[in-house]
mmCIF file of all heavy atoms in Angstrom:
data_model
loop_
_atom_site.group_PDB
_atom_site.id
_atom_site.type_symbol
_atom_site.label_atom_id
_atom_site.label_comp_id
_atom_site.label_asym_id
_atom_site.label_seq_id
_atom_site.Cartn_x
_atom_site.Cartn_y
_atom_site.Cartn_z
ATOM 1 N N VAL A 765 -2.532 -15.674 22.167
ATOM 2 C CA VAL A 765 -3.674 -15.185 21.374
ATOM 3 C C VAL A 765 -3.434 -15.528 19.901
ATOM 4 O O VAL A 765 -2.297 -15.759 19.491
ATOM 5 C CB VAL A 765 -3.871 -13.654 21.515
ATOM 6 C CG1 VAL A 765 -4.311 -13.280 22.917
ATOM 7 C CG2 VAL A 765 -2.607 -12.892 21.116
ATOM 8 N N LYS A 766 -4.533 -15.526 19.136
ATOM 9 C CA LYS A 766 -4.396 -15.869 17.724
ATOM 10 C C LYS A 766 -3.586 -14.786 17.008
ATOM 11 O O LYS A 766 -2.719 -15.067 16.200
ATOM 12 C CB LYS A 766 -5.783 -16.011 17.105
ATOM 13 C CG LYS A 766 -5.758 -16.459 15.674
ATOM 14 C CD LYS A 766 -7.112 -17.005 15.261
ATOM 15 C CE LYS A 766 -7.121 -17.349 13.777
ATOM 16 N NZ LYS A 766 -7.119 -16.136 12.923
ATOM 17 N N SER A 767 -3.890 -13.546 17.306
ATOM 18 C CA SER A 767 -3.103 -12.444 16.746
ATOM 19 C C SER A 767 -3.213 -11.256 17.686
ATOM 20 O O SER A 767 -4.048 -11.244 18.599
ATOM 21 C CB SER A 767 -3.608 -12.071 15.358
ATOM 22 O OG SER A 767 -4.847 -11.420 15.497
ATOM 23 N N LEU A 768 -2.394 -10.231 17.441
ATOM 24 C CA LEU A 768 -2.373 -9.081 18.356
ATOM 25 C C LEU A 768 -3.691 -8.309 18.322
ATOM 26 O O LEU A 768 -3.980 -7.533 19.222
ATOM 27 C CB LEU A 768 -1.188 -8.166 18.038
ATOM 28 C CG LEU A 768 0.179 -8.773 18.377
ATOM 29 C CD1 LEU A 768 1.309 -7.822 17.990
ATOM 30 C CD2 LEU A 768 0.268 -9.122 19.869
ATOM 31 N N ARG A 769 -4.481 -8.524 17.310
ATOM 32 C CA ARG A 769 -5.825 -7.955 17.260
ATOM 33 C C ARG A 769 -6.629 -8.328 18.510
ATOM 34 O O ARG A 769 -7.494 -7.579 18.970
ATOM 35 C CB ARG A 769 -6.517 -8.490 16.008
ATOM 36 C CG ARG A 769 -8.019 -8.596 16.041
ATOM 37 C CD ARG A 769 -8.636 -7.210 15.954
ATOM 38 N NE ARG A 769 -10.089 -7.290 15.909
ATOM 39 C CZ ARG A 769 -10.796 -7.433 14.801
ATOM 40 N NH1 ARG A 769 -10.187 -7.514 13.647
ATOM 41 N NH2 ARG A 769 -12.105 -7.463 14.833
ATOM 42 N N ASP A 770 -6.330 -9.498 19.059
ATOM 43 C CA ASP A 770 -7.103 -9.984 20.198
ATOM 44 C C ASP A 770 -6.680 -9.340 21.523
ATOM 45 O O ASP A 770 -7.287 -9.614 22.556
ATOM 46 C CB ASP A 770 -6.979 -11.505 20.289
ATOM 47 C CG ASP A 770 -7.541 -12.166 19.036
ATOM 48 O OD1 ASP A 770 -8.666 -11.804 18.634
ATOM 49 O OD2 ASP A 770 -6.839 -13.003 18.426
ATOM 50 N N VAL A 771 -5.642 -8.517 21.482
ATOM 51 C CA VAL A 771 -5.234 -7.802 22.702
ATOM 52 C C VAL A 771 -5.857 -6.414 22.651
ATOM 53 O O VAL A 771 -5.606 -5.652 21.720
ATOM 54 C CB VAL A 771 -3.698 -7.670 22.769
ATOM 55 C CG1 VAL A 771 -3.284 -6.931 24.027
ATOM 56 C CG2 VAL A 771 -3.043 -9.037 22.687
ATOM 57 N N THR A 772 -6.662 -6.089 23.632
ATOM 58 C CA THR A 772 -7.322 -4.783 23.583
ATOM 59 C C THR A 772 -6.809 -3.842 24.659
ATOM 60 O O THR A 772 -7.127 -2.658 24.663
ATOM 61 C CB THR A 772 -8.853 -4.941 23.736
ATOM 62 O OG1 THR A 772 -9.080 -5.840 24.819
ATOM 63 C CG2 THR A 772 -9.474 -5.487 22.472
ATOM 64 N N ASP A 773 -6.001 -4.379 25.584
ATOM 65 C CA ASP A 773 -5.527 -3.556 26.685
ATOM 66 C C ASP A 773 -4.003 -3.717 26.762
ATOM 67 O O ASP A 773 -3.503 -4.845 26.851
ATOM 68 C CB ASP A 773 -6.192 -4.052 27.981
ATOM 69 C CG ASP A 773 -5.825 -3.187 29.164
ATOM 70 O OD1 ASP A 773 -4.924 -2.332 29.025
ATOM 71 O OD2 ASP A 773 -6.443 -3.379 30.232
ATOM 72 N N VAL A 774 -3.286 -2.600 26.741
ATOM 73 C CA VAL A 774 -1.821 -2.707 26.758
ATOM 74 C C VAL A 774 -1.307 -3.353 28.053
ATOM 75 O O VAL A 774 -0.182 -3.879 28.072
ATOM 76 C CB VAL A 774 -1.117 -1.334 26.554
ATOM 77 C CG1 VAL A 774 -1.204 -0.885 25.117
ATOM 78 C CG2 VAL A 774 -1.675 -0.284 27.488
ATOM 79 N N ALA A 775 -2.126 -3.343 29.092
ATOM 80 C CA ALA A 775 -1.697 -3.978 30.352
ATOM 81 C C ALA A 775 -1.427 -5.467 30.138
ATOM 82 O O ALA A 775 -0.606 -6.074 30.834
ATOM 83 C CB ALA A 775 -2.773 -3.777 31.425
ATOM 84 N N MET A 776 -2.093 -6.050 29.139
ATOM 85 C CA MET A 776 -1.896 -7.477 28.852
ATOM 86 C C MET A 776 -0.499 -7.772 28.299
ATOM 87 O O MET A 776 -0.096 -8.934 28.185
ATOM 88 C CB MET A 776 -2.924 -7.964 27.817
ATOM 89 C CG MET A 776 -4.334 -8.117 28.359
ATOM 90 S SD MET A 776 -5.508 -8.343 26.987
ATOM 91 C CE MET A 776 -5.041 -9.971 26.350
ATOM 92 N N LEU A 777 0.248 -6.714 27.938
ATOM 93 C CA LEU A 777 1.547 -6.921 27.287
ATOM 94 C C LEU A 777 2.703 -6.983 28.280
ATOM 95 O O LEU A 777 3.843 -7.235 27.889
ATOM 96 C CB LEU A 777 1.814 -5.792 26.280
ATOM 97 C CG LEU A 777 0.719 -5.549 25.236
ATOM 98 C CD1 LEU A 777 1.052 -4.336 24.385
ATOM 99 C CD2 LEU A 777 0.543 -6.782 24.346
ATOM 100 N N GLU A 778 2.401 -6.744 29.570
ATOM 101 C CA GLU A 778 3.453 -6.608 30.583
ATOM 102 C C GLU A 778 4.425 -7.785 30.632
ATOM 103 O O GLU A 778 5.611 -7.612 30.882
ATOM 104 C CB GLU A 778 2.821 -6.397 31.971
ATOM 105 C CG GLU A 778 2.410 -4.956 32.233
ATOM 106 C CD GLU A 778 3.506 -3.946 31.875
ATOM 107 O OE1 GLU A 778 4.656 -4.160 32.319
ATOM 108 O OE2 GLU A 778 3.237 -2.975 31.149
ATOM 109 N N SER A 779 3.917 -8.994 30.373
ATOM 110 C CA SER A 779 4.766 -10.180 30.521
ATOM 111 C C SER A 779 5.764 -10.339 29.373
ATOM 112 O O SER A 779 6.670 -11.171 29.428
ATOM 113 C CB SER A 779 3.870 -11.425 30.581
ATOM 114 O OG SER A 779 3.144 -11.512 29.362
ATOM 115 N N LEU A 780 5.628 -9.553 28.313
ATOM 116 C CA LEU A 780 6.491 -9.751 27.125
ATOM 117 C C LEU A 780 7.894 -9.187 27.350
ATOM 118 O O LEU A 780 8.064 -8.209 28.084
ATOM 119 C CB LEU A 780 5.877 -9.034 25.917
ATOM 120 C CG LEU A 780 4.612 -9.615 25.318
ATOM 121 C CD1 LEU A 780 4.096 -8.690 24.207
ATOM 122 C CD2 LEU A 780 4.864 -11.018 24.758
ATOM 123 N N PRO A 781 8.911 -9.768 26.701
ATOM 124 C CA PRO A 781 10.244 -9.153 26.701
ATOM 125 C C PRO A 781 10.149 -7.730 26.136
ATOM 126 O O PRO A 781 9.277 -7.462 25.293
ATOM 127 C CB PRO A 781 11.059 -10.043 25.768
ATOM 128 C CG PRO A 781 10.246 -11.249 25.506
ATOM 129 C CD PRO A 781 8.837 -10.979 25.871
ATOM 130 N N GLU A 782 11.059 -6.852 26.571
ATOM 131 C CA GLU A 782 10.973 -5.416 26.276
ATOM 132 C C GLU A 782 10.719 -5.096 24.787
ATOM 133 O O GLU A 782 9.813 -4.338 24.449
ATOM 134 C CB GLU A 782 12.264 -4.750 26.778
ATOM 135 C CG GLU A 782 12.287 -3.245 26.666
ATOM 136 C CD GLU A 782 11.076 -2.554 27.307
ATOM 137 O OE1 GLU A 782 10.551 -3.073 28.315
ATOM 138 O OE2 GLU A 782 10.652 -1.505 26.777
ATOM 139 N N LEU A 783 11.519 -5.677 23.901
ATOM 140 C CA LEU A 783 11.383 -5.323 22.487
ATOM 141 C C LEU A 783 10.009 -5.736 21.942
ATOM 142 O O LEU A 783 9.321 -4.957 21.285
ATOM 143 C CB LEU A 783 12.490 -5.989 21.656
ATOM 144 C CG LEU A 783 12.442 -5.643 20.165
ATOM 145 C CD1 LEU A 783 12.869 -4.201 19.920
ATOM 146 C CD2 LEU A 783 13.330 -6.590 19.348
ATOM 147 N N LEU A 784 9.607 -6.962 22.252
ATOM 148 C CA LEU A 784 8.310 -7.438 21.756
ATOM 149 C C LEU A 784 7.172 -6.629 22.363
ATOM 150 O O LEU A 784 6.138 -6.403 21.730
ATOM 151 C CB LEU A 784 8.125 -8.927 22.065
ATOM 152 C CG LEU A 784 9.078 -9.892 21.348
ATOM 153 C CD1 LEU A 784 8.668 -11.335 21.623
ATOM 154 C CD2 LEU A 784 9.120 -9.639 19.847
ATOM 155 N N LYS A 785 7.364 -6.170 23.602
ATOM 156 C CA LYS A 785 6.323 -5.363 24.254
ATOM 157 C C LYS A 785 6.099 -4.067 23.463
ATOM 158 O O LYS A 785 4.971 -3.658 23.214
ATOM 159 C CB LYS A 785 6.753 -5.027 25.690
ATOM 160 C CG LYS A 785 5.625 -4.474 26.537
ATOM 161 C CD LYS A 785 6.102 -3.830 27.815
ATOM 162 C CE LYS A 785 6.836 -4.826 28.697
ATOM 163 N NZ LYS A 785 7.233 -4.216 29.990
ATOM 164 N N ARG A 786 7.200 -3.452 23.044
ATOM 165 C CA ARG A 786 7.058 -2.197 22.285
ATOM 166 C C ARG A 786 6.417 -2.440 20.927
ATOM 167 O O ARG A 786 5.551 -1.698 20.480
ATOM 168 C CB ARG A 786 8.423 -1.519 22.134
ATOM 169 C CG ARG A 786 8.864 -0.863 23.424
ATOM 170 C CD ARG A 786 10.006 0.090 23.209
ATOM 171 N NE ARG A 786 11.264 -0.611 23.008
ATOM 172 C CZ ARG A 786 12.034 -0.484 21.927
ATOM 173 N NH1 ARG A 786 11.689 0.321 20.946
ATOM 174 N NH2 ARG A 786 13.156 -1.162 21.825
ATOM 175 N N ARG A 787 6.851 -3.500 20.268
ATOM 176 C CA ARG A 787 6.254 -3.809 18.955
ATOM 177 C C ARG A 787 4.743 -4.036 19.112
ATOM 178 O O ARG A 787 3.937 -3.509 18.353
ATOM 179 C CB ARG A 787 6.892 -5.064 18.356
ATOM 180 C CG ARG A 787 8.393 -4.968 18.124
ATOM 181 C CD ARG A 787 8.727 -3.971 17.030
ATOM 182 N NE ARG A 787 10.138 -4.045 16.679
ATOM 183 C CZ ARG A 787 11.067 -3.158 17.052
ATOM 184 N NH1 ARG A 787 10.724 -2.092 17.784
ATOM 185 N NH2 ARG A 787 12.322 -3.303 16.688
ATOM 186 N N ALA A 788 4.388 -4.835 20.101
ATOM 187 C CA ALA A 788 2.968 -5.163 20.306
ATOM 188 C C ALA A 788 2.184 -3.930 20.747
ATOM 189 O O ALA A 788 1.037 -3.730 20.335
ATOM 190 C CB ALA A 788 2.839 -6.282 21.347
#
Side-chain angles (χ1 to χ4, degrees):
V765 292
K766 184 162 175 288
S767 72
L768 291 178
R769 152 73 177 273
D770 298 311
V771 180
T772 46
D773 184 350
V774 285
M776 286 168 68
L777 306 175
E778 278 312 310
S779 61
L780 289 175
E782 185 53 32
L783 181 72
L784 294 187
K785 193 194 299 184
R786 285 195 284 122
R787 300 292 189 256

